[in-house]
Amino acid sequence: MAADSEPESEVFEITDFTTASEWERFISKIEEVLNDWKLIGISSGKALEKGVYTTGAWEEKSDEISFADFKFSITHHYLVQEPSDKDGKEELVEDALPLPMQDLLCMNNDFPPRAHCLVRWYGLREFVVIAPTANNDGVLSESKCNLLLSSISIALGNTGCQVPLFVQIHQKWRRMYVGECQGPGVRTDFEMVHLRKVPNQYTHLSGLLDIFKSKIGCPLTPLPPVSMAIRLTYVLQDWQQYFWPQQPPDIDALVGGEVGGLEFGKLPFGACEDPISELHLATTWPHLTEGIIVDNDVYSDLDPIQAPQWSVRVGKADNPQCLLGDFLTEFFKLCRRKESTDEILGRSAFEEEGKDVADISHALSKLTEPAPVPIHKLSVTNMVHSAKKKIRKHRGVDESPLNNEVLNTILLFLFPDAADKLADGFESRTSPTAGNNPPPETEEYNLFGQFKSAPSDSLTYKLALCLCMINFYHGGVKGVAHLWQEFVLEMRYRWENNYLIPGLANGAPDLRCCLLHQKLQMLNCCIERKKARDEGKRGSVSDRSPGGASGDTGKGGDHSGDNPDKEKEVGKSWESWSDSEEEFFECLSDTEDLKGNGQENGKKGGPKEGNKESVNLKPEGRLHPHGKLMLLHPGEPLYIPITQEPAPMTEDLLEEQSEVLAKLGTSAEGAHLRARMQSACLLSDMESFKAANPGCCLEDFVRWYSPRDYIEAEVVDEKGNIVIKGELSARMKIPSNMWVEAWETAKPVPARRQKRLFDDTREAEKVLHYLAVQKPADLARHLLPCIIHAAVLKVKEEEALEDISSVKKIIKQIISHSSKVLRFPGPEDKKLEEIIAQIMSVEAIIARARSLKAKFGVEKCENEEEKDDLQRFVNCLLEQPEVSVIGAGRGPAGSIIHKLFVNAQRVAAVPPLDEELRRSGSSEERRLNTGVVSDFPPPTGREVILRTTVPRPAPYSKPLPQRMYSVLTKADFRLAGAFSADTTFF
């Protein structure tokens, strides 16, 4: 069996000696790609409309092929068109020329402003390009070029593809292409000439006509007329010094301290250099016939003023320096700094020469250490101010990043109530209304909710703008660290002295704002609570009278029942009470009986016991009666108690709390503990209610606190009368209910004598410590949303003056993008950079619009109709690659452009003064030497398209389209010819 199987296995090892060569494989791959892209067969399409090459959508498909180990990319470029109706054209297929040959003669899309170079040179709507890949060098040798040209010729012949096929040869920067297009009995060869030095005979139209005719080699004696399209391009560059409207800010004035609140409250805007670098004027003669005009080396009829078509494009400066963009970029760089405030300003600033250390961070530990000295000498305020003195002593005036004038201006801008204090005396600084005006409910104002920044009239927002200004103009990161240090010291001073912080909304921290804003709001809450508590204590001490106990009836008074307790406190001055004593304050001897009665009543909780004991209980902490509600058992009016407000929370505290509660788990014990932790506020309210309503029961509390849990129904009593009877809801009757447990443990203690739910002292110190340890980088991260918010508002404000539709769309995109990125903590740097780049692009567009408005005198135009036309023209220049000038050189825009060129020519013609002085001869001689100054400079570019239809190569051949495109610039000359020939009758 083994012997039999061997010959069979050898059959599969037969070598095929007819294997195709690398060249044949290459051709086969080209054909395969053309088949895959369905480019085989007759190409069909409708005639091209005017301007479709610019307005239409271009697409491309790419693939990779190789010739041996040399790789090429093959790319199909085509204009997206609606599918044409093929049925009506089937009978004309035999006589019709391939579509690309028809495009050679089409005049609707000459000189497209934005297109592939082959589209501009040959007017094609569809073509395929084979080019060496990026890693390979160009095809330089003539034999290789011919080999590639032969390859595409064979591939086109084998497949019947009518789409032109090009091969890129020579170095890539030269953009040299040769190609071919085949149809039934016809062929077009695409050839190209590229020279650095221009032969003199090709610099004018007559020389180009000669080369075109000689290349066609038409045997007919009366040569068919050649149609011509000519475009001359003129460039205007030297207008910046005359027309740039933007003045850069006076930095000396800013540094010198001549800065008002308006300067610090606003971001700058505009470009520091002209964002429009040059203007290109293209003068076009679209349809000319040979013989109509003369253009040779001696004389030319091509006067740009007489050109029937003018079109303009503007050259935009690459990345113009813009003020707003620079501010944002520099501020964003702060986010990447690593140094702390101490490292930037120098640690020695806080050090004492002796043993004592007056570091702010040690202030709290100093307070808690046992010491024989009086406590007021170790207060945080004294330590902070001693530290502040040492900062100024160690750091000389010259060394301070911010001079006093600038610093005081900023601090007065941030804290306007400080100016009131200086002007009107000490007490005016305590006004809580400063900066707390109700905000306007506008879309711009409410952006802070989307960006998670801060309201535009808030202290945080102003601080962000000031830090941004300081970072750019006043010492960079050192200036930022200095201002922040002063800001933190101001915050501590305000906390110690009960001065509310201006520019913050009243109430709990707004979770829609950034964390820093929430922290400042939290500090304001602490100051407000501390201030109210201190003022209440001072008032009760000063207003004490022997008959004060008679006020215990408490008909709606805020401090009902306070006086008996206050009598015992007269001996102590307010300053000597520490916060811990206030926090765990208990009643003294004269209220111990009351306290005991409250405990008994709380434990028994029965209606009868409550009634008996109610005689001995004195109501405390009543706010006002609750409408017509009466207590169920004593039958007295139900009073709403004065309660403690719930503790305000910032988002980081809420997150910590949720983590702690989540860690308790799902067990019964964990759930019970979690409920106990969450019911602290409920217990406080129950104690206040019991103190205000002696003899009350749980049902009374529920009727006030949670009316839905008290169900009333009409029932018939023993005597047959209909009465309303109420009872607790089902959830309140569950055994071991948290409400029942809390009610049983609650004692009748008014809010003023309860343990504080919100420890403002501890929370304020936490906030102040949080502020003190912030590095400039952390600060920049916190405030970057505010800066982006301010930048967007600034851009919207500037855009409203210009009314540019494209800018409106970009601003909407910026707002949408920013709200997604900034809504979550810790956004990526890359996404933030994208937002800043978008804002910078909008600033550049608006700066360009203003530059163009100034150059075209839009605002100075008195005729309203002309003004509107110029405004539309300027807007089109910003949004379109090239804009046609209505009326060419005779229209309003055309006449302004003409004047611009005339002025530039006059300036260029005036010689420098020293050269003028060196010239000899009379004034007549100087006039003759200068000559007449033309209105336009020599054209920067000359483009000519020559077309005709002639039989080639024989007189009896089919008349076919011939085309040659020529472009001439200072350092470049190119001829791109498409010459068709009849392959049947030759």
Side-chain angles (χ1 to χ4, degrees):
M1 291 295 293
D4 293 341
S5 63
E6 282 178 8
E8 289 179 7
S9 62
E10 287 174 5
V11 172
F12 297 97
E13 295 175 6
I14 293 173
T15 305
D16 183 9
F17 292 101
T18 62
T19 306
S21 64
E22 293 291 351
W23 183 41
E24 290 170 312
R25 286 193 185 126
F26 179 64
I27 295 169
S28 175
K29 285 174 185 172
I30 296 174
E31 294 173 10
E32 190 181 327
V33 171
L34 294 177
N35 272 296
D36 289 344
W37 289 344
K38 298 185 171 76
L39 301 180
I40 309 305
I42 299 167
S43 55
S44 59
K46 56 185 180 181
L48 292 169
E49 297 174 4
K50 191 170 184 62
V52 72
Y53 282 177
T54 306
T55 57
W58 286 85
E59 290 185 5
E60 60 181 60
K61 291 185 284 191
S62 289
D63 205 340
E64 197 172 272
I65 57 176
S66 57
F67 192 121
D69 58 347
F70 195 94
K71 292 185 178 179
F72 292 89
S73 65
I74 180 167
T75 309
H76 178 212
H77 300 265
Y78 58 98
L79 178 70
V80 179
Q81 291 179 285
E82 295 177 5
S84 59
D85 184 16
K86 294 181 181 178
D87 298 336
K89 295 188 177 181
E90 282 182 359
E91 58 194 37
L92 304 173
V93 163
E94 289 183 9
D95 296 332
L97 287 172
L99 211 56
M101 294 190 187
Q102 297 176 35
D103 291 343
L104 293 177
L105 296 178
C106 179
M107 295 185 178
N108 287 336
N109 291 283
D110 290 343
F111 315 114
R114 185 186 292 158
H116 191 282
C117 59
L118 290 174
V119 178
R120 190 176 184 87
W121 296 338
Y122 295 115
L124 301 171
R125 72 179 82 181
E126 183 178 24
F127 53 92
V128 176
V129 177
I130 298 174
T133 54
N135 301 328
N136 291 317
D137 298 327
V139 181
L140 302 178
S141 71
E142 190 176 351
S143 60
K144 287 181 181 177
C145 294
N146 289 334
L147 186 65
L148 288 173
L149 204 52
S150 303
S151 304
I152 63 171
S153 184
I154 294 169
L156 289 173
N158 290 345
T159 57
C161 173
Q162 292 189 2
V163 176
L165 206 51
F166 290 89
V167 174
Q168 187 172 6
I169 58 174
H170 295 285
Q171 293 92 346
K172 292 184 179 180
W173 62 267
R174 295 186 67 181
R175 296 191 298 172
M176 287 278 288
Y177 296 90
V178 290
E180 190 173 308
C181 175
Q182 292 187 11
V186 291
R187 186 184 75 238
T188 301
D189 294 312
F190 297 94
E191 302 170 10
M192 201 167 290
V193 174
H194 180 234
L195 301 172
R196 281 298 187 89
K197 192 175 181 184
V198 190
N200 288 333
Q201 64 269 32
Y202 302 142
T203 58
H204 44 77
L205 186 59
S206 58
L208 293 172
L209 277 169
D210 292 341
I211 192 175
F212 182 56
K213 290 174 183 176
S214 66
K215 182 64 183 175
I216 292 171
C218 180
L220 300 179
T221 6
L223 191 67
V226 177
S227 73
M228 300 176 292
I230 302 171
R231 169 173 284 205
L232 304 181
T233 303
Y234 300 89
V235 177
L236 178 66
Q237 290 178 317
D238 54 352
W239 57 10
Q240 294 96 327
Q241 52 192 330
Y242 307 107
F243 292 94
W244 176 227
Q246 176 80 24
Q247 291 297 325
D250 187 356
I251 295 173
D252 294 334
L254 291 171
V255 174
E258 299 172 16
V259 183
L262 288 176
E263 284 293 335
F264 273 108
K266 291 183 179 179
L267 288 171
F269 190 88
C272 294
E273 56 184 326
D274 196 341
I276 302 294
S277 57
E278 54 191 23
L279 180 138
H280 294 225
L281 169 66
T283 57
T284 308
W285 291 262
H287 304 294
L288 292 175
T289 311
E290 183 187 359
I292 288 182
I293 62 163
V294 176
D295 180 47
N296 53 37
D297 54 353
V298 178
Y299 173 79
S300 176
D301 286 329
L302 298 174
D303 181 7
I305 292 293
Q306 304 301 324
Q309 290 181 7
W310 275 24
S311 55
V312 176
R313 65 167 70 198
V314 290
K316 299 163 185 173
D318 295 331
N319 302 321
Q321 184 187 0
C322 294
L323 292 172
L324 181 62
D326 288 351
F327 263 60
L328 291 176
T329 308
E330 289 300 316
F331 192 78
F332 182 63
K333 286 179 184 175
L334 278 182
C335 299
R336 296 188 172 129
R337 300 295 291 256
K338 303 291 184 186
E339 309 95 327
S340 67
T341 306
D342 290 355
E343 289 167 348
I344 291 166
L345 297 178
R347 290 185 183 279
S348 61
F350 284 107
E351 291 175 5
E352 268 191 329
E353 293 170 8
K355 297 176 183 178
D356 222 5
V357 177
D359 192 342
I360 293 174
S361 61
H362 294 158
L364 291 175
S365 60
K366 288 277 183 186
L367 279 172
T368 56
E369 286 175 6
V373 293
I375 196 164
H376 64 86
K377 290 188 178 178
L378 284 178
S379 72
V380 176
T381 310
N382 286 337
M383 302 197 73
V384 168
H385 286 294
S386 62
K388 200 169 178 181
K389 286 175 188 174
K390 289 178 177 61
I391 291 170
R392 286 171 181 161
K393 186 174 76 175
H394 282 278
R395 187 171 63 211
V397 178
D398 297 336
E399 297 173 18
S400 293
L402 292 176
N403 64 49
N404 285 335
E405 199 173 353
V406 173
L407 182 61
N408 290 337
T409 305
I410 296 169
L411 290 175
L412 284 175
F413 170 64
L414 293 176
F415 304 105
D417 56 344
D420 300 339
K421 177 206 165 190
L422 295 174
D424 304 330
F426 182 81
E427 288 300 322
S428 64
R429 187 171 181 181
T430 62
S431 171
T433 57
N436 287 344
N437 297 325
E441 290 297 323
T442 59
E443 185 184 348
E444 285 79 7
Y445 184 84
N446 291 325
L447 269 181
F448 75 89
Q450 296 180 50
F451 286 7
K452 203 167 175 60
S453 57
S456 54
D457 56 356
S458 67
L459 174 66
T460 316
Y461 187 91
K462 292 178 182 176
L463 175 66
L465 293 177
C466 289
L467 288 171
C468 195
M469 179 77 76
I470 283 167
N471 180 55
F472 198 79
Y473 285 133
H474 301 286
V477 69
K478 285 191 175 182
V480 169
H482 187 186
L483 176 60
W484 179 242
Q485 191 181 65
E486 294 288 338
F487 184 86
V488 174
L489 290 173
E490 177 71 19
M491 291 298 102
R492 184 169 285 283
Y493 181 81
R494 284 173 178 269
W495 158 245
E496 289 288 336
N497 293 278
N498 293 350
Y499 300 140
L500 285 173
I501 304 167
L504 298 175
N506 295 323
D510 189 345
L511 300 181
R512 296 175 299 168
C513 299
C514 64
L515 183 58
L516 187 67
H517 187 78
Q518 294 177 40
K519 292 288 184 185
L520 295 177
Q521 283 185 301
M522 174 67 93
L523 185 59
N524 228 18
C525 289
C526 297
I527 295 170
E528 201 170 353
R529 298 278 179 99
K530 180 169 176 277
K531 181 182 173 185
R533 193 171 65 252
D534 289 359
E535 284 176 354
K537 289 172 181 176
R538 287 195 186 94
S540 62
V541 170
S542 60
D543 297 341
R544 181 180 60 82
S545 63
S550 63
D552 290 348
T553 51
K555 294 181 181 178
D558 278 0
H559 298 287
S560 58
D562 286 0
N563 290 336
D565 301 320
K566 300 300 177 190
E567 287 177 8
K568 295 294 179 181
E569 297 168 12
V570 177
K572 284 189 174 183
S573 69
W574 243 161
E575 286 75 9
S576 64
W577 282 99
S578 71
D579 285 329
S580 59
E581 288 174 304
E582 294 162 17
E583 185 171 322
F584 297 105
F585 182 87
E586 293 295 344
C587 297
L588 299 176
S589 58
D590 63 336
T591 56
E592 282 179 1
D593 292 337
L594 180 146
K595 180 179 168 185
N597 289 337
Q599 286 178 352
E600 288 170 16
N601 185 45
K603 287 176 183 174
K604 293 174 185 176
K608 291 181 182 177
E609 291 83 355
N611 287 332
K612 289 177 185 176
E613 308 252 346
S614 62
V615 181
N616 300 325
L617 292 172
K618 293 180 181 178
E620 292 185 276
R622 286 179 170 179
L623 187 62
H624 57 76
H626 187 296
K628 296 180 180 179
L629 277 186
M630 309 289 283
L631 295 178
L632 290 175
H633 301 296
E636 295 180 2
L638 187 150
Y639 280 87
I640 293 175
I642 297 169
T643 58
Q644 294 194 59
E645 292 182 22
M649 303 279 273
T650 57
E651 63 182 28
D652 58 336
L653 295 177
L654 286 170
E655 194 175 341
E656 284 177 22
Q657 188 184 63
S658 62
E659 285 178 6
V660 170
L661 295 175
K663 285 177 183 176
L664 293 174
T666 55
S667 64
E669 187 181 352
H672 186 74
L673 187 57
R674 185 161 44 246
R676 288 289 298 272
M677 289 173 68
Q678 291 173 319
S679 64
C681 188
L682 176 67
L683 182 65
S684 168
D685 292 343
M686 283 181 171
E687 290 184 340
S688 301
F689 188 82
K690 280 188 174 182
N693 298 282
C696 62
C697 59
L698 178 60
E699 284 82 354
D700 294 320
F701 178 75
V702 170
R703 285 161 68 208
W704 164 62
Y705 206 81
S706 180
R708 290 184 180 181
D709 282 308
Y710 189 76
I711 302 164
E712 293 182 333
E714 292 183 352
V715 294
V716 180
D717 63 0
E718 296 171 355
K719 297 180 182 179
N721 297 326
I722 297 174
V723 294
I724 296 173
K725 188 177 181 183
E727 60 178 356
L728 294 174
S729 64
R731 79 181 184 111
M732 290 291 176
K733 294 178 180 177
I734 298 171
S736 302
N737 187 297
M738 183 54 63
W739 286 60
V740 176
E741 285 186 7
W743 183 258
E744 289 175 354
T745 55
K747 303 170 186 177
V749 181
R752 65 184 177 79
R753 290 191 291 129
Q754 294 173 7
K755 181 178 177 179
R756 283 181 283 167
L757 290 176
F758 176 58
D759 187 349
D760 50 69
T761 308
R762 185 180 64 185
E763 292 301 326
E765 290 299 341
K766 281 168 68 176
V767 170
L768 289 168
H769 175 71
Y770 179 86
L771 298 178
V773 299
Q774 293 298 301
K775 298 177 181 178
D778 302 329
L779 192 59
R781 291 269 177 198
H782 282 306
L783 295 177
L784 192 61
C786 294
I787 295 296
I788 291 174
H789 179 189
V792 168
L793 290 183
K794 185 68 178 176
V795 164
K796 286 189 83 168
E797 177 192 332
E798 299 291 335
E799 185 278 328
L801 303 174
E802 307 302 326
D803 192 26
I804 308 166
S805 58
S806 62
V807 171
K808 284 190 175 75
K809 292 177 186 174
I810 301 172
I811 291 173
K812 285 182 181 176
Q813 291 171 3
I814 292 172
I815 292 172
S816 173
H817 188 199
S818 301
S819 60
K820 290 174 186 172
V821 171
L822 299 174
R823 196 176 296 160
F824 302 102
E828 296 176 16
D829 283 3
K830 188 179 178 183
K831 291 181 178 178
L832 292 171
E833 285 171 353
E834 287 173 3
I835 294 170
I836 292 171
Q838 284 179 308
I839 294 171
M840 289 168 71
S841 70
V842 170
E843 183 183 19
I845 292 171
I846 294 173
R848 289 186 195 115
R850 289 179 176 170
S851 175
L852 288 171
K853 271 187 176 180
K855 289 172 175 58
F856 284 94
V858 174
E859 300 301 331
K860 296 175 185 175
C861 187
E862 296 176 359
N863 187 329
E864 282 299 320
E865 192 176 343
E866 285 187 10
K867 186 175 181 179
D868 292 342
D869 289 344
L870 285 174
Q871 181 66 57
R872 277 195 296 272
F873 178 71
V874 166
N875 288 344
C876 290
L877 276 176
L878 292 170
E879 297 172 7
Q880 298 174 16
E882 192 170 278
V883 182
S884 295
V885 180
I886 298 170
R890 293 166 295 282
S895 58
I896 291 170
I897 294 167
H898 184 200
K899 285 176 188 173
L900 289 173
F901 275 99
V902 168
N903 292 338
Q905 285 295 97
R906 284 177 184 167
V907 171
V910 174
L913 185 61
D914 54 349
E915 188 179 332
E916 184 73 22
L917 293 172
R918 283 200 304 270
R919 284 187 180 175
S920 58
S922 64
S923 59
E924 182 67 22
E925 288 174 345
R926 287 201 297 273
R927 189 183 65 79
L928 291 172
N929 289 337
T930 304
V932 179
V933 179
S934 65
D935 290 357
F936 290 86
T940 308
R942 294 172 65 97
E943 295 174 273
V944 179
I945 299 175
L946 305 176
R947 298 183 184 89
T948 190
T949 304
V950 296
R952 275 185 86 229
Y956 47 81
S957 298
K958 187 177 182 179
L960 295 172
Q962 320 292 330
R963 170 183 169 125
M964 188 178 79
Y965 170 91
S966 164
V967 58
L968 168 65
T969 61
K970 287 182 181 178
D972 197 62
F973 174 69
R974 187 184 301 272
L975 291 175
F979 303 105
S980 308
D982 190 337
T983 55
T984 307
F985 301 100
F986 56 89

